[in-house]
């Protein structure tokens, strides 16, 4: 099919969705045959918004190589129709704030087998040069970190974007989307720091110091309180622990190394810091209700493996797990 397209975000060889003459797109636009600069265009290469897969989009939807067979009915390849469940989680059930938590309850109710999430990080490369130190083990009983390197920032695959949107989360990039995806999947918040922006490649978990400030990812400059727990480098705060990261170390288009933080924070401290700053986030909501302290190794491995697979990156060796006083199981 000869189709004229003025979009800039794809090249020869890209796999894209094509609407042929007669197709009706989201919003009621009927695709016709048009002559553009002397060339007859029979069809339209589409964006996510034009297909009704997103509210807005900045370019053509480019599909992953090998993700969909050429010439196939694109609509038939999508995970539709699907069923969306709206659930109200009571404050005493933080374990149900994840897909796996809900599946576990349903498996028990209907006496069905429960498929455990994969926890194998797979092959690893040279050991990480990153370090982590915990100065307040009461507010942060467990802190883990793992490096993923040689990654390439770009869009996450369509299946992940659709699942995130169904859960009310806006897709951003493959690395950021993995952190949100695994949090929704397993209930454990994760944060990815651009490793090149961490002074001395060292993360320090400590209380905020007098007159320290942090510009969080929402663009707000926050004056920190000595009761706030922060994740910092030796040069200053990088994130409000368990609530929101900071702009100074966020993942950028040129990021090629990330330090994945997966930690367990005491619920009262997160709850009070969130209220102090008037800041509510998906991570803060989960931590303030309580998260399983045994989750970090599993979640770190799951996120690192997904991140490496989707970005072409490599998981570094040397998993960091600071857990001086293991918390006894309540079961």
């Amino acid at each position: 099919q000869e189709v004229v397209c003025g979009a800039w975000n794809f090249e020869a060889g890209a796999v894209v969705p094509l609407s042929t003459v007669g197709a009706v797109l989201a919003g009621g636009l009927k695709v016709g045959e048009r002559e553009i600069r002397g060339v007859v265009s029979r069809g339209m290469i589409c964006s996510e918004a034009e297909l009704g897969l997103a509210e807005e989009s900045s370019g053509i939807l480019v599909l992953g190589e090998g993700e969909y067979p050429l010439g196939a009915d694109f609509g038939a390849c999508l995970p539709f129709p699907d069923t969306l469940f709206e659930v109200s989680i009571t404050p005493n059930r933080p374990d149900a704030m994840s897909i796996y938590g809900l599946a576990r309850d349903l498996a028990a109710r209907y006496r069905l087998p429960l498929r455990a999430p994969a926890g194998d990080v797979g092959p690893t490369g040279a050991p990480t040069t990153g370090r982590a130190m915990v100065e307040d083990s009461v507010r942060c009983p467990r802190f883990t970190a793992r490096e993923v390197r040689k990654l390439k920032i770009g869009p996450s695959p369509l299946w992940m974007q659709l699942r995130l949107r169904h859960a009310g989360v806006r897709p951003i990039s493959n690395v950021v989307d993995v952190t949100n995806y695994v949090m929704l999947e397993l209930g454990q918040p994760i944060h990815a720091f651009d490793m090149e922006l961490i002074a001395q490649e060292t993360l320090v978990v400590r209380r905020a110091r007098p007159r320290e400030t942090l510009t969080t990812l929402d663009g707000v400059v926050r004056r920190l309180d000595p009761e706030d727990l922060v994740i910092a480098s030796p040069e200053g705060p990088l994130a409000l622990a368990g609530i929101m990261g900071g702009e100074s170390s966020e993942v950028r288009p040129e990021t090629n190394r990330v330090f994945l933080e997966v930690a367990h924070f005491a619920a009262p401290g997160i709850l009070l810091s969130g209220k102090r700053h008037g800041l509510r986030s998906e991570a803060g909501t989960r931590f303030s209700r309580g998260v399983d302290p045994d989750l970090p190794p599993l979640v770190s491995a799951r996120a690192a493996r997904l991140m490496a697979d989707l970005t072409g990156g490599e998981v570094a060796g040397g998993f960091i797990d600071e857990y001086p006083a293991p918390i006894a199981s309540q079961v």
Side-chain angles (χ1 to χ4, degrees), residues 125-139:
T128 181
T129 52
R131 298 184 300 160
M133 297 183 291
V134 178
E135 295 183 1
D136 190 338
S137 59
V138 174
R139 295 277 297 276

Side-chain angles (χ1 to χ4, degrees), residues 63-265:
L63 305 169
E65 186 176 346
E67 193 174 351
Y68 299 96
L70 294 177
D73 179 351
F74 181 57
C77 295
L78 297 177
F80 297 121
D82 202 352
T83 302
L84 302 183
F85 292 90
E86 290 190 15
V87 294
S88 296
I89 307 300
T90 54
N92 65 323
R93 289 300 308 274
D95 57 302
M97 295 185 71
S98 68
I99 301 299
Y100 185 66
L102 293 172
R104 183 170 48 208
D105 273 12
L106 291 169
R109 171 64 179 83
Y110 293 105
R111 300 182 183 277
L112 296 172
L114 177 65
R115 185 178 65 184
D120 181 15
V121 75
T124 58
T128 181
T129 52
R131 298 184 300 160
M133 297 183 291
V134 178
E135 295 183 1
D136 190 338
S137 59
V138 174
R139 295 277 297 276
C140 178
R142 187 172 201 176
F143 188 88
T144 75
R146 191 191 300 273
E147 178 187 351
V148 183
R149 58 169 77 103
K150 300 179 183 177
L151 46 77
K152 184 177 180 181
I153 303 297
S156 55
L158 184 59
W159 61 264
M160 179 174 282
Q161 293 187 41
L162 291 176
R163 288 183 177 182
L164 288 173
R165 286 197 178 101
H166 286 170
V169 177
R170 179 175 63 90
I172 297 173
S173 70
N174 42 20
V175 167
V176 177
D177 289 355
V178 165
T179 64
N180 287 325
Y181 185 88
V182 176
M183 178 185 68
L184 293 170
E185 183 182 54
L186 299 177
Q188 165 74 53
I190 311 166
H191 189 70
F193 296 88
D194 184 323
M195 205 154 179
E196 301 293 344
L197 301 178
I198 303 173
Q200 300 177 37
E201 298 185 351
T202 300
L203 294 179
V204 183
V205 186
R206 60 169 173 80
R207 300 285 184 95
R209 292 168 184 153
R211 295 184 296 280
E212 277 191 322
T213 62
L214 172 69
T215 303
T216 44
L217 289 172
D218 56 2
V220 177
V221 179
R222 302 184 184 276
R223 183 175 295 278
L224 301 174
D225 187 278
E227 286 300 309
D228 290 329
L229 190 69
V230 298
I231 300 173
S233 75
E235 293 182 355
L238 300 174
L240 192 56
I243 300 176
M244 186 174 287
E247 284 188 348
S248 65
S249 58
E250 69 177 318
V251 173
R252 307 162 294 160
E254 59 270 30
T255 297
N256 57 36
R257 296 170 66 210
V258 297
F259 216 15
L260 280 182
E261 167 255 306
V262 187
H264 179 74
F265 299 110

Side-chain angles (χ1 to χ4, degrees), residues 305-318:
R305 185 72 267 147
L306 262 178
M307 203 169 286
D309 290 344
L310 298 186
T311 66
E314 171 189 85
V315 180

